[in-house]
């Protein structure tokens, strides 16, 4: 940048307690009545820092509005004798929300889940305090357009730092003397519903509502576009005023081609049938502003599952009698068109990749296929030879019954595989194996560990159905002890492989729901409601299939992907765990909000499965991560099949 000038606002701060450095940059933003005194602009960089190597000048100003909001304006000017063009990430503005994971109590009170939508003229950030509460910080764009965002992470913190966010304006062409302005307003709000009401009140802001942003089979793409008409509601950041904005009928384009729609009472109602699978980007143009929504059309679920299962059997199963991997389902590199294995971490022959076997067993229960079943039988020979001791229930980390890392996460996945095999084969030995596996998990300290996918309700129900009441009761006592520990911890979550994350909270919520279903004891329902409220704070609601009801996760692409790239993974398959917890609320009074979201959450992971049956372990969503080009689906089909498994199990067949 040629020159950047910062100016502090005049007047009183109202609902904001602000601090500025000598250069005029914001260094602290808090609510004056917040007991925790959370600083909402805490990052490695300073809030409002302009990032660019272009020869632009910028003036950054702030002011307090009559609505009690903080208006920030970034005016970029070309003061050279030559035209200046920007492309992609050439120009960026830091917004340093404190989105990182440390001690759980610090997270609950002083960190936030940051939901970002760079949707052209209708862009926003909804920052929700991780522990919940009535004072959260919102940002809505009021002038200009944003095309995306990048992230700069503290890599020394590995998986625990989401990083500083950098917002990128649309591509610009500024002639000598020309300027371009980005403005936004910051305001306080209580929860997601109020945030949407306030954002939707800004004149010209477009709010997109759809039952599904990922559609299946012959389903049409349907959505409603509502246009902000002025501030007409009383709320903490948005006072009542009389004037209102009347929107003009917009133009709507699908992948660049204008489409018809119904215009009623200032809302656009779209029902579109694109016809073929693929991504469909809708641009809504009104009053000189351009906003967007992004949908994905997929084959029907059964077809998608069949293609995926065949791909696993044909492309990802090792056939090598001289290798310990004989029979294994391995990583598949969609660039190299070959299997891959490494004993390192998350690339081995066990762990999360057990999901491929569970998926095939579930699919075959509903869609018999001799060739696929032959592949699955071969896989089970491998599992019981290399990964699982059927006598003791011990689960190993990799082939050769290797236990370099005693990993409790591995146990529930083997137990789920065994339960699926029992339901497929009707062979009681698989049920016995599942029981032994879960007992071994708890014998190794599982009561104090928030493992993923423990089949509490399912295992007890199946054991009772086979007359194995003693075994069912033993497991129920283990589950009760586990749930009591989760209740005792409450929001004081113990650290796991990541200090704090969605896949700690989601199992906690699901297990408490399961214990309520198994015992009918209200204490578990009450404790589940607390966990569900925290879990919901991870879930995005942006009008894009990548993020709509997809939980915030931001490290999995590094550990499981070929590109080894940190950064927001939208989607990531463990987002489906939120759906599992939501589905289990169906028996809990007062939880219809969560139950209604379950299928949308399950669908949120399906873009990881391609129409040819291949798959991707993560979509790294931002434009750049620490300067590295991102915005890609990783070429490894690795561990993502648990996502399709849960979709089929709870919302599919």
């Amino acid at each position: 940048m040629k020159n950047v000038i910062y100016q502090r606002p005049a007047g009183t701060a109202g609902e904001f307690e602000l601090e500025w450095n000598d250069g005029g940059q914001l260094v602290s933003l808090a609510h004056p009545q917040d007991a925790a005194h959370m600083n909402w602009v805490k990052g490695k960089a300073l809030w409002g820092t302009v990032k660019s190597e272009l020869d632009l000048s910028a003036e950054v100003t702030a002011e307090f509005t009559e609505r009690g909001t903080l208006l920030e304006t970034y005016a970029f000017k070309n003061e050279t004798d030559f035209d200046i063009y920007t492309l992609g990430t050439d120009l960026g503005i830091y917004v340093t929300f404190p989105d990182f994971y440390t001690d759980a109590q610090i997270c609950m009170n002083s960190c936030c889940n940051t939901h970002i939508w760079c949707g052209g003229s209708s862009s926003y950030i909804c920052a929700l305090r991780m522990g919940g509460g009535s004072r959260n910080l919102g940002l809505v764009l009021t002038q200009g357009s944003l095309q995306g965002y990048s992230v700069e992470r503290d890599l020394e913190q590995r998986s625990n730092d989401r990083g500083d966010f950098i917002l990128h304006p649309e591509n610009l062409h500024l002639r000598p003397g020309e300027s371009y302005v980005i403005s936004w307003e910051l305001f306080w709000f209580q929860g997601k519903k109020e945030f949407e009401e306030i954002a939707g009140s800004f004149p010209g802001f477009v709010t997109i509502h759809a039952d599904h942003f990922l559609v299946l089979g012959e389903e049409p793409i349907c959505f409603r576009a509502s246009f902000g008409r002025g501030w007409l509601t009383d709320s903490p950041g948005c006072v009542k005023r009389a004037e209102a904005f009347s929107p003009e009928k917009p133009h709507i384009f699908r992948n660049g081609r204008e489409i018809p729609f119904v215009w009623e009472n200032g809302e656009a109602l779209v029902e579109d049938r694109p016809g073929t699978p693929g991504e469909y980007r809708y641009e809504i143009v009104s009053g000189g502003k351009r906003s967007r929504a992004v949908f994905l059309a997929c084959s029907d679920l059964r077809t998608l599952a069949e293609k995926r299962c065949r791909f696993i059997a044909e492309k990802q199963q090792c056939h090598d009698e001289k290798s310990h991997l004989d029979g294994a389902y391995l990583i598949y590199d969609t660039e190299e068109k070959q299997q891959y294995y490494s004993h390192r971490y998350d690339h081995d022959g066990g762990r999360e990749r057990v999901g491929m076997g569970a998926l095939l067993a579930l699919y075959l229960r509903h869609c018999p296929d001799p060739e696929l079943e032959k592949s699955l039988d071969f896989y089970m020979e491998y599992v019981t030879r290399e990964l699982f001791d059927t006598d003791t229930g011990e689960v190993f980390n990799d082939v050769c019954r290797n236990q370099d890392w005693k990993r409790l996460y591995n146990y529930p996945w083997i137990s789920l595989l065994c339960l699926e095999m029992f339901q497929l084969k009707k062979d009681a030995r698989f049920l016995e194996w599942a029981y032994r596996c879960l007992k071994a998990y708890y014998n190794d300290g599982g009561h104090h560990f928030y493992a993923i996918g423990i089949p509490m309700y399912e295992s007890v129900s199946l054991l009772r159905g086979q007359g194995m009441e003693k075994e069912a009761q033993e497991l129920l006592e283990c589950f009760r002890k586990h749930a009591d520990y989760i209740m005792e911890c409450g929001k004081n979550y113990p650290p796991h492989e990541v200090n704090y994350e969605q896949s700690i909270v989601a199992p906690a919520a699901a297990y408490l729901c399961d214990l309520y279903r198994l015992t009918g004891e209200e204490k578990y329902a009450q404790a589940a409601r607390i966990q569900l409220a925290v879990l919901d704070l991870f879930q995005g609601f942006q009008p894009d299939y990548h993020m709509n009801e997809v939980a915030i996760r931001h490290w999995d692409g590094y550990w499981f992907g070929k590109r080894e790239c940190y950064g927001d993974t939208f989607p990531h398959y463990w987002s489906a765990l939120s759906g599992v917890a939501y589905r289990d609320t169906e028996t809990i009074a007062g939880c219809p909000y969560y139950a209604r979201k379950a299928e949308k959450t399950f669908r949120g992971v399906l873009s990881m499965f391609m129409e040819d049956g291949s798959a991707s372990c993560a979509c790294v969503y931002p434009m750049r991560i620490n300067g590295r080009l991102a915005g890609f689906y990783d070429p490894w089909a690795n561990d993502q099949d648990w996502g399709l498994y849960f979709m089929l199990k709870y919302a599919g067949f």
Side-chain angles (χ1 to χ4, degrees):
M1 293 292 293
K2 187 176 182 180
N3 190 31
V4 183
I5 298 173
Y6 294 89
Q7 295 185 9
R8 301 181 187 182
T12 58
E15 292 289 306
F16 293 93
E17 187 176 282
L18 306 172
E19 294 180 15
W20 315 82
N21 65 12
D22 292 339
Q25 284 187 266
L26 187 63
V27 296
S28 179
L29 185 157
H31 193 286
Q33 296 169 353
D34 179 11
H37 202 72
M38 174 176 170
N39 179 8
W40 290 81
V41 296
K42 182 180 180 180
K44 291 198 71 174
L46 289 176
W47 178 279
T49 298
V50 176
K51 179 182 178 68
S52 181
E53 296 182 0
L54 298 170
D55 208 11
L56 286 169
S57 299
E59 184 177 3
V60 182
T61 59
E63 61 182 284
F64 303 111
T65 74
E66 62 181 11
R67 297 177 300 283
T69 66
L70 176 62
L71 170 65
E72 292 189 314
T73 300
Y74 297 76
F76 301 98
K77 188 173 183 179
N78 179 3
E79 296 182 328
T80 74
D81 295 328
F82 306 97
D83 289 26
I84 293 179
Y85 285 77
T86 70
L87 294 173
T89 59
D90 285 347
L91 180 62
I93 304 168
Y94 282 83
V95 287
T96 52
F97 290 90
D99 198 334
F100 58 88
Y101 302 145
T102 178
D103 176 82
Q105 285 306 303
I106 294 175
C107 289
M108 294 299 101
N109 294 308
S110 301
C111 300
C112 61
N113 294 316
T114 311
H115 300 283
I116 305 172
W117 175 236
C118 294
S121 300
S122 299
S123 297
Y124 66 76
I125 296 178
C126 175
L128 298 162
R129 194 189 303 253
M130 289 183 182
S134 60
R135 295 187 180 97
N136 302 288
L137 188 63
L139 179 157
V140 168
L141 191 73
T142 56
Q143 187 173 351
S145 178
L146 299 177
Q147 62 172 308
Y149 72 97
S150 294
V151 178
E152 285 188 359
R153 299 172 63 101
D154 180 355
L155 296 178
E156 291 185 1
Q157 298 300 314
R158 296 160 73 92
S159 301
N160 291 308
D161 177 57
R162 191 176 173 195
D164 290 343
F165 307 110
I166 307 168
L167 304 181
H168 299 296
E170 64 183 341
N171 292 341
L172 306 178
H173 172 205
L174 297 180
R175 301 174 185 85
E178 288 186 339
S179 298
Y180 182 81
V181 174
I182 288 285
S183 293
W184 57 59
E185 293 188 31
L186 295 160
F187 54 89
W188 302 107
F189 66 95
Q190 291 191 13
K192 290 181 184 179
K193 182 179 179 181
E194 187 180 52
F195 174 85
E196 290 190 280
E197 290 174 352
I198 296 174
S201 69
F202 281 87
F205 186 93
V206 180
T207 303
I208 307 294
H209 293 282
D211 288 339
H212 297 294
F213 286 85
L214 189 146
V215 298
L216 297 167
E218 299 300 316
E219 295 175 348
I221 291 174
C222 298
F223 65 89
R224 184 177 81 253
S226 304
F227 295 77
R229 303 189 184 197
W231 299 274
L232 297 172
T233 58
D234 287 308
S235 50
C238 197
V239 300
K240 187 173 184 178
R241 80 178 191 181
E243 62 260 37
F245 169 78
S246 297
E248 64 182 44
K249 183 177 180 180
H251 296 272
I252 300 181
F253 300 84
R254 182 236 295 153
N255 291 356
R257 182 175 181 177
E258 190 163 5
I259 62 170
F261 60 92
V262 175
W263 180 245
E264 288 183 354
N265 301 318
E267 290 189 331
L269 307 176
V270 174
E271 181 173 335
D272 192 28
R273 296 181 180 273
T276 58
E279 181 179 275
Y280 293 93
R281 302 175 72 86
Y282 292 84
E283 189 173 47
I284 300 96
V285 181
S286 177
K289 294 187 174 184
R290 295 176 176 268
S291 306
R292 67 172 176 268
V294 189
F295 291 76
L296 184 68
C298 298
S299 294
D300 66 89
L301 186 58
R302 187 163 294 211
T303 298
L304 201 65
E306 179 187 2
K307 289 180 179 179
R308 178 64 192 139
C309 288
R310 292 198 183 285
F311 191 97
I312 292 170
E314 295 170 6
K315 304 284 189 180
Q316 296 190 236
Q317 188 161 40
C318 177
H319 293 271
D320 185 350
E321 294 180 355
K322 297 180 180 180
S323 170
H324 287 285
L325 294 169
D326 193 33
Y329 292 141
L330 301 177
I331 291 171
Y332 187 83
D333 188 318
T334 59
E335 291 179 324
E336 299 290 338
K337 308 297 182 187
Q338 70 171 50
Q339 296 170 10
Y340 177 77
Y341 162 87
S342 169
H343 181 55
R344 176 197 168 204
Y345 301 128
D346 301 298
H347 307 163
D348 66 16
R351 297 165 69 117
E352 282 84 347
R353 281 149 298 285
V354 170
M356 286 184 269
L359 174 63
L360 260 74
L362 173 62
Y363 174 80
L364 286 167
R365 182 151 47 104
H366 298 273
C367 304
D369 183 293
E371 288 302 312
L372 289 180
E373 190 161 351
K374 180 180 178 182
S375 169
L376 178 61
D377 290 341
F378 187 26
Y379 178 69
M380 287 304 299
E381 292 175 12
Y382 160 79
V383 167
T384 54
R385 183 183 73 240
E386 305 289 341
L387 300 179
F388 178 46
D389 188 325
T390 58
D391 293 324
T392 66
E394 183 176 6
V395 178
F396 303 96
N397 203 51
D398 195 9
V399 294
C400 305
R401 299 200 168 190
N402 179 269
Q403 205 67 297
D404 287 347
W405 182 353
K406 185 77 169 182
R407 190 172 186 249
L408 286 174
Y409 278 118
N410 298 338
Y411 283 73
W413 301 330
I414 291 290
S415 71
L416 275 170
L417 173 62
C418 291
L419 291 181
E420 290 298 343
M421 290 300 296
F422 165 70
Q423 293 176 90
L424 172 65
K425 300 283 192 177
K426 309 304 179 187
D427 185 339
R429 63 177 177 149
F430 291 111
L431 187 56
E432 177 70 25
W433 293 353
Y435 157 76
R436 293 174 188 168
C437 180
L438 290 171
K439 284 288 288 183
Y441 166 81
Y442 285 110
N443 288 338
D444 283 340
H447 300 91
H448 292 174
F449 191 80
Y450 292 41
I452 294 169
I454 301 173
M456 291 186 176
Y457 183 82
E458 185 177 9
S459 60
V460 171
S461 299
L462 290 174
L463 285 166
R464 286 174 173 170
Q466 289 297 301
M468 300 171 69
E469 190 62 39
K470 174 177 175 294
E471 290 83 354
Q473 190 60 32
E474 287 180 6
L475 285 186
L476 180 58
E477 290 308 310
C478 290
F479 298 154
R480 186 187 290 274
K481 184 178 178 181
H482 195 174
D484 289 345
Y485 174 75
I486 292 172
M487 287 176 56
E488 179 185 346
C489 289
K491 294 183 183 180
N492 189 25
Y493 302 97
H496 287 63
E497 291 181 357
V498 180
N499 286 341
Y500 173 69
E501 54 162 313
Q502 170 257 355
S503 57
I504 295 174
V505 183
Y511 301 155
L512 291 167
C513 289
D514 275 356
L515 261 292
Y516 175 72
R517 295 170 71 195
L518 286 167
T519 68
E521 295 180 25
E522 182 59 27
K523 66 177 183 178
Y524 295 120
Q526 292 177 359
R529 294 186 186 100
I530 294 171
Q531 299 297 328
L532 288 162
V534 176
L535 177 62
D536 189 55
L537 301 172
F538 286 98
Q539 300 297 117
F541 53 93
Q542 298 92 320
D544 184 333
Y545 69 90
H546 292 94
M547 295 181 285
N548 195 267
E549 287 305 335
V550 170
I552 291 173
R553 299 182 67 85
H554 50 82
W555 59 91
D556 308 273
Y558 174 83
W559 298 104
F560 292 88
K562 179 181 181 180
R563 297 281 185 264
E564 296 187 340
C565 185
Y566 280 113
D568 296 357
T569 49
F570 296 139
H572 184 268
Y573 69 92
W574 278 142
S575 180
L577 294 175
S578 298
V580 174
Y582 292 158
R583 175 194 171 274
D584 287 346
T585 65
E586 293 175 353
T587 60
I588 298 179
C591 291
Y593 167 77
Y594 302 113
R596 286 195 300 268
K597 301 198 318 173
E599 183 173 350
K600 184 179 281 191
T601 303
F602 288 129
R603 288 193 184 210
V605 307
L606 294 184
S607 68
M608 307 176 77
F609 302 93
M610 313 308 167
E611 290 295 325
D612 66 353
S614 63
S616 171
C617 61
C619 175
V620 184
Y621 182 86
M623 297 178 74
R624 288 186 181 272
I625 306 293
N626 288 51
R628 180 179 177 184
L629 187 65
F632 62 87
Y633 280 84
D634 194 90
W636 272 2
N638 184 343
D639 57 326
Q640 67 292 313
D641 292 284
W642 284 114
L644 183 53
Y645 169 82
F646 286 122
M647 174 66 190
L648 288 174
K649 187 171 186 175
Y650 296 123
F653 301 117

